[in-house]
Amino acid sequence: MLKLKKITVFLIILLAVIFLLPKDLLAQSNSVTGVNDLTNAGVNLGQTDLKQVIANIINIILAFLGTLAVLLFLYAGYLWMTANGEAAKLEKAKKIMVDTAIGLAITLAAYAIASFILKALFDGTFGNGNGNGNGNGGGYHGGIGIGNGIIESHYPMRNAEDIPRNTNIYITFKEAIKPEDLLFTGGDCDYNACAKIDNLILKNNADNTVFDNNSLQATLSDDHKVLALNPFAGDVGNYLGSANQNTSYNFALSNEISKDNGEAAFGLNGYDWNFTVNEEVDLTPPSVVSVIPQAGSTNARNTIVQVNFSEGVNPLLASGVYPSFTNINVKQANILNGTYRIANQYKTVEFVTDSLCGTNSCGGNVYCLPASASLTATVTTNIKDMADNVLVSEYSWSFNTNDTIDLVPPKIISMEDDNAVATDAPISVTFDKSLMTASVNSDNIAFVEVPSNLINYWLSVVSGETIKISHDRLKSYTAYQPTLSSDIKDVYQNCFQPCRCQDPSGSCSCNTDNSPACQSGLSCQGQAN
């Protein structure tokens, strides 16, 4: 009988030890690394904000209490098994076990409460918008849609704050979408097309009011990739929100939306996001804040032409192909043929001519402006911002080209240090050359929760050289992996780090089999035709 009691006590103690050991000692540690598929450079996502410090303190205290309980159970078990029938020792062992069990119950309750609080702090759905349509942080409001989904960008951005009441809504898809899944015509629609509200749902979060067909004027681009929505279109003065307080809205796209090829565009949960409008009506027109090439400069002829605006502009009016598109143009004696693309959260428009002149070091085509030429670029007053304010006056500047081609690839010069990124902070990667913002997209930059769990993220370019990867609020103690591909390009259309190494012996091999070998100590470079 005594032997059976000893075995029972031993099993209880063993289970207690397994149950009480701090989970950090049992779990495998995952380093949070970022992967660059060409340079293998690391980006670690740390938790250095105040919430993380509090979490660490709580975890240390709970781990100490759990360890103390284990030791007390072990001591009580030792007394029990060595009592040899002595009533005093048995009573002491029982008392220690009872007291420890009570303390354990309190500790477990504290752990449950702390876990709930930490979950709210780290993985909650409250946002951290930074205004001007560029949301930052926040948890999931629905399924995966942007970055790892079919959406490249949208305005207002996820959890954006301080959006003007007279804003429009824009969504850019990576693939063509069936028009009949987005647009509604006839019936009570007073416009050329209204939003199909079964699939496109704009809701006031305060009173759960949902916009009807006749409240959302809808326009879809000819390629079925850009959707524009105008709330209260045609009803001047009847804007979103209130003149007295900020108002939160939710915009949802249903899982009934399909691509042009018939495939589902979204997963089971569809996709939705929140944004907040302020009390103001935006009457400030957009302006041009910087251009490439700079006025009066002389440049290699494979430069693109880049226009950066003070705010996001209407993508339907700021992108296209000449000659059908003339709202922005580049000309010598005549307007040059080429394509105008909008990127960088609708703040940057870039022109690439259709005149092929060489290949970059990844084997990609390079297009050139006329050699040794004087060129003039013009942004017309047909450009509007997201609130339909028109560019006040035409913006023109002139620049020159020489007869050279710049084929030096861009390189990363700085990135986030280990443990330097908070759970709601963007990841920054800086290059040594100005970037083609149209190449900074989710096809060329991936971001996942390791090993392959998808999350929402969105991209922008700051000061020309720095990529900012924004994302939903990350989970604490979880590994994430960003990946930058060689399709990221500079403003001369050179691909990022085409070599997988930089060997001083000159043995570096490029991405493509027919690329030339590297010269000693240098990255591979393409050759012009």
Side-chain angles (χ1 to χ4, degrees):
M1 185 67 179
L2 181 60
K3 184 176 181 181
L4 180 60
K5 286 184 178 180
K6 289 183 177 181
I7 293 174
T8 302
V9 171
F10 174 77
L11 290 175
I12 291 173
I13 293 172
L14 180 62
L15 290 173
V17 170
I18 294 173
F19 181 71
L20 290 173
L21 272 177
K23 65 178 180 179
D24 290 342
L25 298 179
L26 298 175
Q28 179 180 357
S29 175
N30 287 322
S31 61
V32 186
T33 59
V35 174
N36 178 305
D37 62 357
L38 298 179
T39 63
N40 293 321
V43 178
N44 281 3
L45 306 182
Q47 294 83 28
T48 58
D49 58 5
L50 178 60
K51 296 186 295 292
Q52 183 62 56
V53 174
I54 295 172
N56 290 338
I57 293 173
I58 292 174
N59 283 331
I60 290 172
I61 294 173
L62 291 176
F64 172 75
L65 293 176
T67 303
L68 181 60
V70 169
L71 294 175
L72 288 172
F73 268 119
L74 289 173
Y75 177 60
Y78 171 77
L79 290 177
W80 188 303
M81 289 187 289
T82 60
N84 293 324
E86 294 183 27
K89 281 190 175 182
L90 288 173
E91 187 62 31
K92 183 177 181 180
K94 289 179 182 179
K95 187 176 187 307
I96 292 174
M97 284 187 176
V98 171
D99 291 344
T100 302
I102 294 173
L104 175 60
I106 296 173
T107 300
L108 292 177
Y111 178 79
I113 295 171
S115 296
F116 176 80
I117 294 173
L118 290 178
K119 182 175 179 61
L121 286 173
F122 287 113
D123 303 325
T125 58
F126 46 86
N128 182 22
N130 61 4
N132 299 320
N134 299 319
N136 185 27
Y140 298 108
H141 300 298
I144 302 301
I146 190 167
N148 280 308
I150 194 172
I151 295 175
E152 181 60 44
S153 58
H154 57 67
Y155 182 94
M157 187 40 69
R158 290 177 69 79
N159 305 303
E161 298 179 350
D162 204 28
I163 301 299
R165 295 180 58 205
N166 55 331
T167 187
N168 294 307
I169 298 171
Y170 296 93
I171 304 171
T172 300
F173 299 95
K174 301 177 189 178
E175 300 180 51
I177 302 295
K178 276 188 176 181
E180 56 266 34
D181 288 348
L182 302 176
L183 306 179
F184 169 82
T185 57
D188 58 352
C189 180
D190 292 339
Y191 318 108
N192 292 332
C194 294
K196 186 172 183 178
I197 60 171
D198 291 338
N199 292 337
L200 302 169
I201 304 165
L202 178 61
K203 181 183 70 174
N204 185 318
N205 286 329
D207 57 16
N208 291 322
T209 301
V210 176
F211 283 56
D212 60 25
N213 279 329
N214 208 32
S215 296
L216 281 174
Q217 181 180 9
T219 305
L220 187 64
S221 61
D222 292 339
D223 63 2
H224 301 172
K225 290 185 177 181
V226 180
L227 176 67
L229 298 167
N230 187 343
F232 300 115
D235 189 358
V236 177
N238 191 8
Y239 303 121
L240 293 175
S242 163
N244 301 316
Q245 62 183 9
N246 293 347
T247 307
S248 173
Y249 286 89
N250 177 271
F251 191 87
L253 297 95
S254 83
N255 60 5
E256 298 295 324
I257 298 173
S258 299
K259 306 174 188 176
D260 262 354
N261 62 12
E263 296 177 356
F266 298 97
L268 183 63
N269 293 325
Y271 173 71
D272 68 287
W273 77 93
N274 287 339
F275 64 92
T276 301
V277 299
N278 57 28
E279 305 168 14
E280 306 296 327
V281 174
D282 179 10
L283 300 177
T284 303
S287 61
V288 175
V289 294
S290 66
V291 295
I292 292 177
Q294 294 182 0
S297 64
T298 299
N299 306 265
R301 62 192 185 102
N302 60 321
T303 182
I304 65 171
V305 178
Q306 184 183 91
V307 183
N308 295 293
F309 293 93
S310 57
E311 57 184 311
V313 295
N314 184 333
L316 297 177
L317 300 176
S319 59
V321 179
Y322 179 81
S324 60
F325 175 81
T326 59
N327 292 346
I328 303 174
N329 59 76
V330 179
K331 64 182 179 181
Q332 190 178 16
N334 299 309
I335 295 177
L336 303 180
N337 292 325
T339 301
Y340 297 81
R341 295 184 176 90
I342 190 166
N344 194 23
Q345 301 303 320
Y346 306 107
K347 292 182 179 180
T348 303
V349 177
E350 294 170 333
F351 170 73
V352 178
T353 178
D354 62 3
S355 179
L356 181 65
C357 61
T359 58
N360 61 28
S361 47
C362 295
N365 290 334
V366 173
Y367 298 88
C368 284
L369 299 169
S372 303
S374 178
L375 303 171
T376 299
T378 301
V379 183
T380 72
T381 55
N382 290 324
I383 300 299
K384 296 181 180 180
D385 66 14
M386 301 309 203
D388 287 332
N389 296 301
V390 179
L391 195 70
V392 173
S393 60
E394 282 192 351
Y395 183 94
S396 294
W397 78 101
S398 297
F399 58 92
N400 304 304
T401 61
N402 53 34
D403 197 21
T404 65
I405 296 177
D406 180 340
L407 291 172
V408 178
K411 300 176 184 177
I412 289 177
I413 58 175
S414 69
M415 50 178 32
E416 304 293 349
D417 294 330
D418 291 357
N419 300 317
V421 181
T423 55
D424 58 355
I427 303 160
S428 296
V429 182
T430 301
F431 288 77
D432 64 345
K433 299 178 71 176
S434 293
L435 299 175
M436 178 191 290
T437 63
S439 72
V440 180
N441 57 55
S442 56
D443 289 332
N444 299 334
I445 300 176
F447 189 51
V448 298
E449 177 187 328
V450 175
S452 58
N453 295 329
L454 304 182
I455 60 174
N456 289 307
Y457 70 97
W458 52 101
L459 306 165
S460 58
V461 177
V462 181
S463 301
E465 299 90 14
T466 298
I467 295 174
K468 186 169 74 170
I469 306 173
S470 301
H471 46 78
D472 281 336
R473 190 180 302 278
L474 304 178
K475 300 174 184 176
S476 57
Y477 308 113
T478 304
Y480 292 87
Q481 178 174 292
T483 303
L484 310 181
S485 84
S486 61
D487 288 325
I488 297 171
K489 298 176 182 178
D490 65 16
V491 292
Y492 295 99
Q493 306 164 65
N494 295 301
C495 58
F496 156 58
Q497 284 286 25
C499 276
R500 297 185 181 277
C501 63
Q502 284 184 276
D503 189 331
S505 67
S507 63
C508 175
S509 61
C510 291
N511 286 342
T512 55
D513 294 337
N514 59 355
S515 298
C518 287
Q519 298 177 13
S520 178
L522 299 177
S523 297
C524 294
Q525 297 183 9
Q527 297 179 344
N529 292 334

